[in-house]
Structure formats: C-alpha cells, structure tokens
Amino acid sequence: MTNTPPPRPRTRLYVITPPQVPDIPAFTSVLAAAIGAGDIASLQLRLKGKDGLIDAEATRAVSRAVTGLAQEAGIAVLINDSPELARELGADGVHVGWEDVPVKTARNLLGPDAIIGATARNSYHKAMQAGEDGADYVAFGAFYPTQTKAQTAAAELELLQVWQAAMLLPSVAIGGITVENAEPLVTAGADFIAVSSGVWAHPDGPAEAVKAFNALLDRLTPR
C-alpha cells in the first residue's frame, strides 16, 4: 500500500484595500457586503499617499471603521509596511515589503502571535530567508501587470509550483489578479490569492467579485 499525501487545503482570498479611500462610510458599507458574499481570509490595509508612502492617518481612519467589522467575521486584519501602526491599531499583524522593516524586527515588536507576511517578489532565496526569519507567509508576484503597486517584478508560475512542492510556509500570489486570470495561480500552488482592484473595480461590484472568486476556488479545491 502506498501512502498518498493529503489534498492541499483550499486556496483562500486575501483582499487588499484600494490605495486611497476618500469616502470611509461608503467603503465600510461596500466592505460589509463583500464580507457577506463569501470567504475572505485576510484584509490588508494598504493606504498610500501621492508620494507612494504609507498614509498613517488614512490607515488609522480606515482601521477604526473596518477592523472590528472584519475581525468579527473571522478575517485577519493586516497593516501594510508598519508594525508600529499594526500594534497601535490592534491589527492581527503586518505585511512588510521588499525594502521595509525586517521580519525579525517586526516579530520582536509584535510578539509571537502576530501574523507577519513578507514580500518575496520573484526570489526563492528572499522567500526562504523570510521564512527563516519568522515570517508566517511569503508573497510572490507580480504575476500579471498591476496599476496598484509600483516597482513590481515579474514572477513565473513555476515559482509557486516549486515552493508548494518543497516548502510548508504558505505562499500568496499577488499582482493584477482577477477572476478571469486567477486559475493558473491556484493550480500552480498558491495558498492565497491577493486581490485589490480585481475586487474593488469588478464591473458587478466587490460583493459579486468575492462571490465569483469563491466559486472559482471551490471548483478548484483538490478532491
């Protein structure tokens, strides 16, 4: 008798806010509808100023409006770039970028229970180092062209395949992902797909986007 490995857990949706949220009450209402439309694993607050840097005041304002809503639904709330803000705002963790705060520094600040994710772009080595330093997941991408993040690097599907085969640390696929182009990333082994404009700019609205993504992920769940 041969031992077959258990099926890989279902890929889940990782939602990233738009870079700017000019109408917070309206955004909160739209987010509530999206949360009610299907499974969301995590919500990253990624609010940026015109200079491309984190907008701390906007992050605080949006966090006050949506963190409780998301956490009550079982969604992990992560702050982009700043472990200090994550601690201040009672978030579940932080996502650190390619040249941001080191993973070890974020872990020391936030403690052992916080979720810490790290950008690895298209570098297997960078991802391995992040894991060794204590990251809870690594994010590969961009897999497709994206308008929401500058200075991206093109990543290939093979990176997800090799990582899934060799590593236990979860991977997140990011970069220009939509309902229409997500399937190859899921079948290649992404544990999470991170989506921003693919949700917020969906022609039928964010709730329909969440519903459609989950229908796709349900269909692709290993049997």
Side-chain angles (χ1 to χ4, degrees), residues 83-182:
E84 293 85 1
L85 269 179
R87 184 173 65 175
E88 173 191 332
L89 297 171
D92 297 286
V94 67
H95 180 90
V96 295
W98 185 262
E99 297 175 341
D100 293 329
V101 178
V103 170
K104 286 183 178 179
T105 302
R107 177 63 69 200
N108 289 336
L109 184 65
L110 295 178
D113 297 328
I115 300 169
I116 297 177
T119 294
R121 293 188 180 173
N122 59 1
S123 173
Y124 192 92
H125 173 75
K126 183 83 170 183
M128 287 187 64
Q129 186 63 57
E132 290 172 4
D133 288 346
D136 294 292
Y137 71 83
V138 292
F140 294 116
F143 287 95
Y144 303 113
T146 175
Q147 301 298 316
T148 59
K149 188 171 185 179
Q151 299 179 328
T152 57
E156 301 296 331
L157 289 176
E158 183 181 6
L159 183 57
L160 291 172
Q161 295 167 339
V162 172
W163 186 263
Q164 181 62 234
M167 298 294 175
L168 295 176
L169 191 68
S171 66
V172 175
I174 192 169
I177 300 172
T178 66
V179 174
E180 291 74 24
N181 65 22

